[in-house]
Amino acid sequence: TNTQHQYRSESALGQNPLSCRTLSTRRELYERDFPVYKQPVEVGCFSLDSERRFFNDSRQMRYYVEPDRNPNFNLRDGYRDRFIKRDDSVKERLDHILRWIVANKSKINPTVAAASPRALDVDFVTWRGHLTKLLTTPYETREGWLLAVTRFRGTLYISEVETEAARRERENRTERHEEMMYWGYKFEQYTCADNTHSLPDPGGVVNTNEAFCTVVQTRLADHRLLFSGEVDCRDKDPKAPAAPACYVELKTSAEICTPKQRSNFHRFKLLKWWAQSFLPGVPRVVAGFRDQEGVVVSVETFHISKISHLIKNEYNCWKPTVCMNFCCDFLSFVKRVVTEDSHRVVYLFSWDPYKDVTYSAHRDSQYCFLPHWYVEEMTR
Ligand code: 0WD
Ligand code: CA
């Protein structure tokens, strides 16, 4: 019909394609062929210890120990007396990734002798979590985002800025919500061991400062990406495939009792799980389903490559191609907008549900996020 034709020919870029000031997030604009997304390659990893100190190694790697299918793990255990919580008012921005880059420049810079010495051989540097937010944007109806972008020596760095709404939510969490945030980490403790020949220690302390992060390189259409994401654990079989294929993502979710709950799980939760693990090439998610009292009553493995089939029968459901095409077009939009190459300039991209993406530019502002030590190291 005529309507369909108009949809198809409409540009994703704002009302006036020549001004290119905004980017639409309407789903129907991104329903085209799946873009090229190269198999992500792990180029390194790093660890953050119990005091959030950076190490250029895998000391915080943990090993997956398959639990009973119906385990009865009590996720509330230890919340009061064996929990050290990371201070989430401290904004680390891209600092850990930048430290990794400085320590591993040679690995991502095979062309040191090229025309632009010291420039990184990638278009974008960011956290996996920021890309997850971009992938899910066409389907997000609750939370907007702010992404700060700086072009420095040709590479675009993307770092999230906490929205006012997110800050208010963080500062006004209920006691119940605070405790539920602990449950995910407690589930990790029940299913992860510190080395290949030990067992999980549910009697130990949960410290959310600790993290093991993978650094991967890949390409989305013509965008060369370098990003890092936190990995929960790996397959402990030494014959398991190389990273990231050996990694396992752990999740907890409310037990599914009704068809409505199952439908919501497929439409909202599986979208977030798929986006987060598809990006770095993590092949499976192990989910602990818990009751109202925080007891894990069943455990199920989801293979990322099978999730799109699982959801196909769901009415009005999300589509992986929409997620990837939107992300791709957003990155193209960023490349067009962010033209001034300077660590002192930040372009702030802003989005709220049911709105278009907009941006503003800021020089020498509170939004600057590339640290001096990084700028100096990469300029020398
Ligand atoms: O300060 C900030 N604004 C951010 C810091 C925003 C995003 C990330 N980070 C850093 C932290 O250093 C953290 O170690 O990111 C790391 C995780 O990055 P990611 O993998 O890119 O983030 P994401 O995919 O959103 O989260 C992965 C896991 C989460 O697991 P679940 O299963 O809940 O998705 O990382 C944890 C959490 O366990 N996590 C965080 N840990 C520390 N600080 C944070 C955070 N802000 N966000 C998620
Ligand atoms: Ca997890």
Side-chain angles (χ1 to χ4, degrees):
T1 69
N2 194 25
T3 324
Q4 277 169 338
H5 176 73
Q6 280 175 355
Y7 281 142
R8 214 172 306 136
S9 59
E10 187 178 357
S11 164
L13 287 165
Q15 295 304 308
N16 174 1
L18 291 176
S19 71
C20 300
R21 299 288 291 242
T22 65
L23 181 72
S24 172
T25 61
R26 287 169 52 204
R27 295 163 200 176
E28 57 276 24
L29 296 171
Y30 301 97
E31 297 209 4
R32 22 178 226 266
D33 288 348
F34 202 83
V36 170
Y37 189 66
K38 285 200 15 182
Q39 184 73 51
V41 173
E42 181 174 77
V43 290
C45 64
F46 59 86
S47 295
L48 305 173
D49 75 359
S50 60
E51 292 167 54
R52 209 66 183 165
R53 288 175 301 207
F54 173 96
F55 294 89
N56 183 31
D57 59 39
S58 60
R59 67 184 65 193
Q60 295 290 350
M61 170 84 83
R62 292 178 300 174
Y63 298 85
Y64 177 60
V65 178
E66 193 178 329
D68 197 282
R69 272 183 69 87
N70 301 101
N72 275 301
F73 293 146
N74 178 10
L75 302 179
R76 306 182 77 157
D77 176 52
Y79 176 65
R80 300 256 162 236
D81 55 316
R82 300 192 321 281
F83 178 30
I84 298 172
K85 187 177 167 288
R86 188 186 78 95
D87 179 354
D88 55 12
S89 67
V90 177
K91 298 301 168 214
E92 302 174 320
R93 306 192 278 196
L94 297 186
D95 291 10
H96 299 307
I97 301 179
L98 303 181
R99 290 197 57 167
W100 182 89
I101 290 175
V102 166
N104 297 276
K105 263 185 297 185
S106 58
K107 287 191 195 171
I108 42 175
N109 223 357
T111 53
V112 189
S116 171
R118 302 274 171 187
L120 289 181
D121 207 20
V122 296
D123 299 314
F124 292 93
V125 170
T126 192
W127 283 106
R128 177 269 308 273
H130 301 358
L131 295 173
T132 306
K133 284 196 178 173
L134 289 170
L135 260 62
T136 58
T137 294
Y139 299 104
E140 179 62 47
T141 58
R142 290 202 289 235
E143 291 169 13
W145 45 251
L146 284 171
L147 293 170
V149 184
T150 289
R151 183 187 287 268
F152 174 60
R153 302 209 126 216
T155 296
L156 294 146
Y157 296 81
I158 306 180
S159 179
E160 186 175 35
V161 173
E162 190 174 50
T163 62
E164 276 303 311
R167 185 180 58 81
R168 273 198 303 273
E169 217 170 85
R170 176 170 56 76
E171 288 172 349
N172 297 305
R173 280 181 205 135
T174 62
E175 185 49 38
R176 168 86 178 168
H177 187 200
E178 285 284 347
E179 182 175 341
M180 287 177 73
M181 290 177 66
Y182 166 79
W183 293 358
Y185 296 103
K186 186 65 188 178
F187 181 61
E188 295 174 10
Q189 193 191 48
Y190 277 114
T191 51
C192 294
D194 286 341
N195 53 66
T196 50
H197 34 262
S198 67
L199 288 173
D201 173 22
V205 169
V206 169
N207 185 327
T208 59
N209 287 298
E210 297 174 1
F212 167 77
C213 295
T214 179
V215 182
V216 304
Q217 248 187 297
T218 185
R219 182 163 60 82
L220 171 58
D222 60 344
H223 308 302
R224 295 169 300 165
L225 315 177
L226 177 79
F227 60 86
S228 174
E230 194 173 320
V231 169
D232 293 326
C233 56
R234 59 159 291 160
D235 190 325
K236 69 178 187 321
D237 185 345
K239 281 180 273 180
C246 60
Y247 291 149
V248 180
E249 172 64 35
L250 302 171
K251 293 288 184 195
T252 58
S253 195
E255 182 183 11
I256 296 165
C257 304
T258 67
K260 177 83 182 159
Q261 286 169 344
R262 174 162 308 273
S263 170
N264 282 339
F265 174 77
H266 285 165
R267 296 185 56 194
F268 306 110
K269 202 123 259 184
L270 283 185
L271 163 61
K272 304 236 158 136
W273 292 5
W274 172 82
Q276 185 188 43
S277 288
F278 178 77
L279 280 164
V282 172
R284 57 189 164 135
V285 175
V286 172
F289 291 96
R290 44 128 188 108
D291 65 18
Q292 294 287 312
E293 272 69 59
V295 174
V296 173
V297 291
S298 68
V299 172
E300 206 176 315
T301 297
F302 292 88
H303 292 272
I304 294 302
S305 61
K306 292 184 185 160
I307 286 183
S308 60
H309 309 298
L310 255 181
I311 58 155
K312 272 200 180 114
N313 293 326
E314 212 60 68
Y315 173 71
N316 199 6
C317 205
W318 58 276
K319 295 189 179 88
T321 198
V322 169
C323 301
M324 298 304 284
N325 281 317
F326 171 72
C327 183
C328 187
D329 285 10
F330 174 77
L331 297 178
S332 300
F333 182 57
V334 167
K335 276 182 179 170
R336 270 196 307 276
V337 166
V338 182
T339 48
E340 185 169 346
D341 194 304
S342 165
H343 64 276
R344 296 169 53 186
V345 176
V346 166
Y347 294 75
L348 193 61
F349 290 81
S350 170
W351 177 74
D352 280 306
Y354 309 110
K355 302 257 176 70
D356 291 346
V357 179
T358 59
Y359 68 88
S360 50
H362 308 261
R363 188 182 305 275
D364 295 327
S365 74
Q366 52 174 348
Y367 297 118
C368 284
F369 62 87
L370 288 182
H372 282 116
W373 54 261
Y374 183 74
V375 171
E376 271 157 38
E377 189 66 43
M378 303 304 279
T379 311
R380 257 196 296 130

